[in-house]
Amino acid sequence: MTLIEMLVAIAVMLIAMQGFTYIFVTSWDNNKSIIETGLASATASRSVNQTIIQLRAIKQGDNGDYPIEEADDFDLTIYTDIDDDGVTERVHYYLDLATDEFKRGITDPGATVPVTYAASDTTTAVMAEYIVNESDDPVFSYYNDDYPSDTTNNPLATPASLGSIQLIRMKLRVNIDPVHAPENINVESFVDLRNLHGYE
């Protein structure tokens, strides 16, 4: 082999190695993105399921307050015995728009007579990350007793009239990198607030 042939062979080999490296790095990034997206959507699904279970057990606060304290697009505060200890906690679900995190705040009633709850959440935990719902796609939607036959007045306008709420739809949109494909993954579920039927 001449020197020129050797240089050409080395150049071809380097180009081929660069191509294989590019393919490997791209595949690695794609697989990493798929795994992270799968984990984020599984976490969001678990969060929705936990929230739905807790909403089903909604009840009057230990201070006598109505089972729902606040009902807005990205903010829902209810009373429920979240840890089965015989005490009704105030539970606050909300989307932190600054961090794209779905969070849950819990407040235990104070040991006072009459019973009172602190104004702010006592403990807060992140339930899901990479949640990208926007103003036209609320986390919580509320429906009255006439749904689904009445689609004119449902979902209810927010903040919803608390006494009208009988059904809640929860929807989380997950995207670990909103700037690039793929599209958002939707995780949603409905809950019938059976404890509020005929509530007086």
Side-chain angles (χ1 to χ4, degrees):
M1 289 181 68
T2 66
L3 181 59
I4 294 175
E5 289 173 333
M6 186 177 294
L7 290 174
V8 169
I10 291 172
V12 170
M13 185 179 72
L14 289 174
I15 291 170
M17 286 178 63
Q18 186 177 19
F20 287 131
T21 302
Y22 174 78
I23 292 171
F24 175 77
V25 170
T26 302
S27 298
W28 179 268
D29 286 343
N30 288 341
N31 287 338
K32 182 181 176 199
S33 176
I34 289 169
I35 290 170
E36 289 177 351
T37 298
L39 290 172
S41 61
T43 301
S45 180
R46 190 165 50 251
S47 300
V48 168
N49 290 337
Q50 287 177 358
T51 305
I52 293 301
I53 290 169
Q54 291 155 9
L55 287 172
R56 259 190 210 112
I58 199 169
K59 62 192 294 190
Q60 183 174 308
D62 285 352
N63 61 351
D65 278 0
Y66 189 71
I68 303 174
E69 184 178 276
E70 181 182 8
D72 218 328
D73 290 346
F74 299 97
D75 212 297
L76 174 62
T77 304
I78 63 158
Y79 292 97
T80 188
D81 183 2
I82 198 167
D83 51 8
D84 296 322
D85 62 352
V87 174
T88 304
E89 291 83 17
R90 187 182 68 217
V91 185
H92 177 209
Y93 304 98
Y94 63 101
L95 177 60
D96 186 335
L97 296 169
T99 61
D100 291 337
E101 294 173 330
F102 180 67
K103 296 181 177 179
R104 179 182 67 196
I106 300 174
T107 305
D108 288 306
T112 58
V113 179
V115 173
T116 59
Y117 292 83
S120 57
D121 300 334
T122 305
T123 61
T124 303
V126 175
M127 297 185 73
E129 298 177 303
Y130 308 109
I131 308 303
V132 295
N133 296 60
E134 296 183 359
S135 57
D136 60 344
D137 195 16
V139 171
F140 300 106
S141 301
Y142 308 95
Y143 302 81
N144 64 27
D145 235 354
D146 298 325
Y147 184 80
S149 59
D150 177 10
T151 55
T152 303
N153 299 304
N154 285 289
L156 302 171
T158 53
S161 171
L162 304 182
S164 301
I165 300 172
Q166 293 293 322
L167 182 74
I168 298 176
R169 182 188 77 170
M170 182 179 175
K171 179 180 181 182
L172 296 181
R173 295 179 63 126
V174 184
N175 196 327
I176 65 168
D177 187 5
V179 178
H180 302 98
E183 293 294 320
N184 300 330
I185 296 172
N186 296 328
V187 180
E188 67 179 290
S189 187
F190 280 82
V191 58
D192 182 7
L193 305 177
R194 292 174 295 209
N195 289 352
L196 296 188
H197 290 298
Y199 190 93
E200 310 215 350

